[in-house]
Amino acid sequence: MESALYPIQNKYRFNTLMNGTWQFETDPNSVGLDEGWNKELPNSEEMPVPGTFAELTTKRDRKYYTGDFWYQKDFFIPSFLKKKELYIRFGSVTHRAKVFINGNEVGQHEGGFLPFQVKISNYINYDQTNRVTVLVNNELSEKAIPCGTEEILDNGQKLAQPYFDFFNYSGIMRNVWLLALPQSQITNFKLNYQLINNEATIIYNIEANNDAEFKVTLFNNQKEVARVTSKNTGNLTIKNPHLWSLDDPYLYKIKIEMIQDDKVVDEYADRIGIRTIKIVNDKILLNNQPIYLKGFGKHEDFTVLGKAVNESIIKRDYECMKWIGANCFRSSHYPYAEEWYQYADKYGFLIIDEVPAVGLNRSVTNFLNVTNSNQSHFFASKTVPELKKVHEQEIKEMIDRDQRHPSVIAWSLFNEPESTTQESYDYFKDIFAFARKLDPQNRPYTGTLVMGSGPKVDKLHPLCDFVCLNRYYGWYVAGGPEIVNAKKMLEDELDGWQNLKLNKPFVFTEFGADTLSSSHRLPDEMWSQEYQNEYYQMYFDIFKKYPFICGELVWNFADFKTSEGIMRVGGNDKGIFTRDREPKDIDFTLKKRWQQLN
Ligand code: GCB
């Protein structure tokens, strides 16, 4: 990745979206490169970008297509752009991409949920039509995240078998931009805040591709409040700062000018929120005040769009989350499109930002096997060193991309891996040590523990600044009439954690029950709306007794698509909202609770 900066326009920087109709072709035998598809696709069809073929097709083999596939688009570059450095920036390509300009390879990227950009200037024909081609691959393995495997069907077709519970949507599912940037350019900048008495100090660290000086200016509502010129690092101090908070998500504007030979050569501006986040004993403090997290584990998921970004969905989801009184979500199980974080900054929402490290457990159908005697010693396998490199690279890209957002309060480095073996501890000890060097704000690091990884056996909680539990007592175990036992199991587990005297906050990052919006039952039965209510009430009654619980993120914000199977009716139905974002009965219980809870 040449730069982690979100595209903006000003006197020095120009961009235009390349979204729209692209050409598309699947390549099941991976012959494309040998046959020159990087120059011309032989039998292509039209495909929208952003989008995913799996949601647009009426054919099963296309929906589940696994392997190589190609995108291609022609675009024009006028010669007045000659003085600029040109790039194409992909919001993401899932899961890996090779990019060609006029047939020449210009870059590649591993990881399906983070942006990357490729420099194209050296391969462009000015005042002519040019062609970008992208070779994409959506296969799953244990060498990359998210993890999975694949099966060859009797008809020879590959079928991805995710070790995770969401549909393996793939393709170009986020925005694509053409960028025209100055030759000498700012490539990123990192910020940290110190609040002492009535003063805030903003400590900055600017990354650029050339040596320069930088003028950094801070504005409040267009009025300049501080300015300093320095080399790459420096700081700005302001008196009586207007802090960013949930009730008042105030944003300043920061402008950085890059200066060479007394001339401004680049400028980048962003909205920033001044706030601190830290853990003290068993509390999470925002601006030194304890906060209680109320909200969701989410997905980027919608009918017809799959995981393709769409600002209308983003807006609707935030409206629903505000209506119900939520203040937080986890970007389960991957970093979301950048627009989600921009909204959170403006709306006053908190995000636990998660890297796509899901499925590190070799469990296709039953995640309870992750910790029981069927566990597969995932971290003892030969591919682990390769996996670790990819995992670290994605942590770096996520933090580089998201570290300035005031809404991001923590980094989640894993979801439900094997976590009871020494090998798992050794793996994650390195992962945490790596990650802890990257965020100048030193936000808390965590990861979510699978059910079964309890106080007696779990090996990963010592690495986490706060402990995240995904628990399904009353659903996957002791459901329906056994819910009385579920209550006891949950209490026993929480007593176990309490006895460890960890003096750390705990957050429930998943708990939920599949619920069909069409099902009503008296007395309650599993899958009915009444049962979802009873289930959550049981958890809430118990939470009261444990003051170290600092948050409840229910699973899931909305129903979402998964692989097919006997556990899933058209997908995962644990949504608080339906897949088309209408309320289930539980919403009114949650709304009442969350509006009262502070
Ligand atoms: C989990 C996973 C999540 C699943 C959820 C479920 O533990 O983290 O990805 O969707 O359980 O509903 O089974």
Side-chain angles (χ1 to χ4, degrees):
M1 177 157 68
E2 289 241 1
S3 165
L5 295 176
Y6 191 77
I8 61 162
Q9 296 184 356
N10 59 30
K11 210 167 125 188
Y12 309 91
R13 301 177 159 243
F14 186 73
N15 64 67
T16 179
L17 278 171
M18 296 180 73
N19 295 351
T21 311
W22 288 52
Q23 294 302 305
F24 176 89
E25 188 162 350
T26 58
D27 183 8
N29 300 316
S30 299
V31 297
L33 261 187
D34 289 342
E35 294 183 0
W37 295 20
N38 45 329
K39 298 193 186 85
E40 171 96 47
L41 295 179
N43 272 309
S44 64
E45 65 185 283
E46 283 161 358
M47 189 61 73
V49 167
T52 178
F53 58 85
E55 276 283 325
L56 305 176
T57 183
T58 55
K59 301 191 183 83
R60 180 191 275 155
D61 56 349
R62 170 57 71 80
K63 175 174 172 186
Y64 285 98
Y65 178 80
T66 305
D68 287 346
F69 49 100
W70 296 73
Y71 284 86
Q72 197 158 69
K73 189 175 180 71
D74 291 347
F75 61 104
F76 191 87
I77 297 287
S79 53
F80 62 73
L81 288 174
K82 257 189 186 159
K83 284 205 192 115
K84 295 285 179 197
E85 205 67 88
L86 302 179
Y87 300 83
I88 295 183
R89 183 187 202 264
F90 296 87
S92 67
V93 180
T94 318
H95 292 285
R96 55 196 60 84
K98 260 193 193 140
V99 184
F100 305 84
I101 295 293
N102 298 326
N104 306 291
E105 186 179 329
V106 289
Q108 36 183 298
H109 184 255
E110 171 66 43
F113 303 97
L114 285 159
F116 64 98
Q117 65 189 47
V118 290
K119 188 148 109 183
I120 63 171
S121 331
N122 298 343
Y123 301 94
I124 286 296
N125 300 317
Y126 289 91
D127 283 341
Q128 285 180 40
T129 297
N130 293 274
R131 174 167 287 176
V132 55
T133 307
V134 190
L135 166 57
V136 191
N137 176 278
N138 66 354
E139 285 171 75
L140 300 173
S141 74
E142 294 182 9
K143 294 184 204 162
I145 49 177
C147 294
T149 183
E150 72 190 21
E151 178 190 341
I152 307 288
L153 301 175
D154 283 351
N155 63 3
Q157 215 193 321
K158 284 181 198 159
L159 178 68
Q161 293 284 8
Y163 299 162
F164 51 86
D165 186 40
F166 52 90
F167 194 87
N168 188 38
Y169 288 122
S170 58
I172 307 182
M173 300 191 287
R174 294 185 188 160
N175 295 324
V176 184
W177 290 265
L178 176 76
L179 308 181
L181 303 182
Q183 306 286 344
S184 281
Q185 56 185 260
I186 302 158
T187 54
N188 202 2
F189 64 104
K190 295 191 173 170
L191 302 178
N192 191 12
Y193 306 109
Q194 263 172 12
L195 297 184
I196 300 173
N197 300 327
N198 278 342
E199 278 189 356
T201 301
I202 304 172
I203 303 141
Y204 58 81
N205 187 352
I206 301 164
E207 295 165 21
N209 68 350
N210 270 322
D211 201 36
E213 285 210 305
F214 300 91
K215 182 160 108 187
V216 183
T217 318
L218 191 73
F219 300 88
N220 89 23
N221 296 330
Q222 302 313 314
K223 208 173 91 243
E224 184 179 317
V225 290
R227 187 196 327 167
V228 75
T229 301
S230 71
K231 294 299 280 183
N232 299 61
T233 57
N235 52 58
L236 290 166
T237 299
I238 53 169
K239 288 212 164 41
N240 301 318
H242 194 153
L243 298 185
W244 185 94
S245 66
L246 291 176
D247 296 332
D248 180 15
Y250 186 82
L251 296 174
Y252 286 88
K253 180 177 146 189
I254 192 167
K255 184 169 92 178
I256 299 181
E257 288 158 285
M258 180 175 185
I259 302 164
Q260 287 179 320
D261 304 326
D262 297 327
K263 251 184 66 196
V264 178
V265 291
D266 189 18
E267 176 186 314
Y268 192 87
D270 199 5
R271 309 286 297 192
I272 60 163
I274 301 177
R275 57 100 189 91
T276 59
I277 181 85
K278 58 179 179 249
I279 307 266
V280 176
N281 299 322
D282 59 3
K283 296 285 173 279
I284 304 173
L285 306 185
L286 179 70
N287 298 330
N288 295 323
Q289 297 297 318
I291 43 165
Y292 189 83
L293 309 180
K294 304 174 283 187
F296 304 95
K298 275 183 85 359
H299 266 298
E300 287 183 298
D301 175 272
F302 200 73
T303 178
V304 182
L305 295 172
K307 293 194 179 304
V309 66
N310 178 295
E311 247 186 88
S312 297
I313 309 297
I314 297 177
K315 170 96 178 164
R316 171 75 185 176
D317 283 9
Y318 276 107
E319 290 297 320
C320 290
M321 288 195 286
K322 280 196 124 178
W323 169 82
I324 206 169
N327 63 17
C328 180
F329 67 89
R330 174 171 61 118
S331 74
S332 39
H333 293 306
Y334 37 83
Y336 293 179
E338 289 149 297
E339 294 76 11
W340 282 98
Y341 302 76
Q342 294 163 0
Y343 268 79
D345 292 348
K346 287 185 232 160
Y347 270 55
F349 259 81
L350 307 175
I351 299 178
I352 299 177
D353 206 3
E354 187 158 280
V355 76
V358 56
L360 283 70
N361 53 36
R362 217 169 275 134
S363 169
V364 179
T365 50
N366 183 357
F367 68 84
L368 294 177
N369 282 343
V370 172
T371 47
N372 68 19
S373 51
N374 291 329
Q375 69 166 231
S376 58
H377 288 276
F378 182 88
F379 292 103
S381 97
K382 281 210 279 298
T383 46
V384 163
E386 210 172 321
L387 175 74
K388 196 197 266 176
K389 270 200 202 131
V390 174
H391 194 162
E392 288 178 347
Q393 179 62 24
E394 296 207 31
I395 291 170
K396 182 174 179 326
E397 289 180 24
M398 172 177 79
I399 295 179
D400 277 351
R401 188 192 76 161
D402 294 337
Q403 42 81 29
R404 272 197 315 283
H405 290 289
S407 53
V408 173
I409 53 157
W411 309 108
S412 168
L413 305 184
F414 59 78
N415 181 71
E416 300 191 347
E418 273 188 10
S419 49
T420 54
T421 55
Q422 184 60 35
E423 303 106 56
S424 62
Y425 175 78
D426 294 343
Y427 178 91
F428 282 105
K429 184 166 63 65
D430 294 352
I431 290 285
F432 274 71
F434 174 86
R436 284 185 189 282
K437 292 188 201 127
L438 301 176
D439 178 14
Q441 293 183 20
N442 198 21
R443 268 166 274 225
Y445 290 89
T446 188
T448 72
L449 300 178
V450 67
M451 176 126 143
S453 204
K456 290 211 180 86
V457 291
D458 175 67
K459 293 267 198 293
L460 301 187
H461 68 271
L463 297 170
C464 299
D465 296 323
F466 61 94
V467 182
C468 294
L469 300 180
N470 294 353
R471 292 298 178 263
Y472 290 95
Y473 301 112
W475 186 252
Y476 292 116
V477 296
E482 293 173 26
I483 195 164
V484 284
N485 299 0
K487 182 164 184 275
K488 171 91 175 34
M489 288 173 184
L490 179 59
E491 278 171 324
D492 285 352
E493 178 174 348
L494 286 170
D495 287 344
W497 288 113
Q498 191 160 40
N499 292 339
L500 291 182
K501 298 195 170 36
L502 297 177
N503 200 22
K504 284 185 186 187
F506 275 61
V507 174
F508 273 73
T509 36
E510 285 187 25
F511 56 122
D514 285 87
T515 305
L516 300 175
S517 51
S518 56
S519 175
H520 287 278
R521 289 283 182 271
L522 200 58
D524 302 356
E525 277 177 19
M526 292 172 83
W527 296 90
S528 71
Q529 306 241 10
E530 290 73 20
Y531 189 75
Q532 195 179 25
N533 254 295
E534 184 184 0
Y535 172 99
Y536 277 119
Q537 206 51 64
M538 186 263 282
Y539 278 75
F540 297 149
D541 287 346
I542 291 173
F543 287 174
K544 287 199 276 249
K545 297 195 236 160
Y546 300 92
F548 56 85
I549 297 177
C550 293
E552 49 193 57
L553 305 183
V554 298
W555 189 256
N556 185 284
F557 169 74
D559 295 345
F560 60 92
K561 196 58 122 191
T562 62
S563 304
E564 294 174 44
I566 52 167
M567 309 256 280
R568 299 286 174 256
V569 185
N572 188 310
D573 290 312
K574 295 192 187 69
I576 299 305
F577 292 86
T578 59
R579 201 178 185 212
D580 55 0
R581 276 50 176 177
E582 297 300 345
K584 296 184 187 173
D585 286 1
I586 184 65
D587 291 45
F588 301 93
T589 309
L590 282 180
K591 184 172 164 64
K592 203 162 149 211
R593 174 178 171 79
W594 286 349
Q595 282 178 341
Q596 285 164 3
L597 252 187
N598 271 316

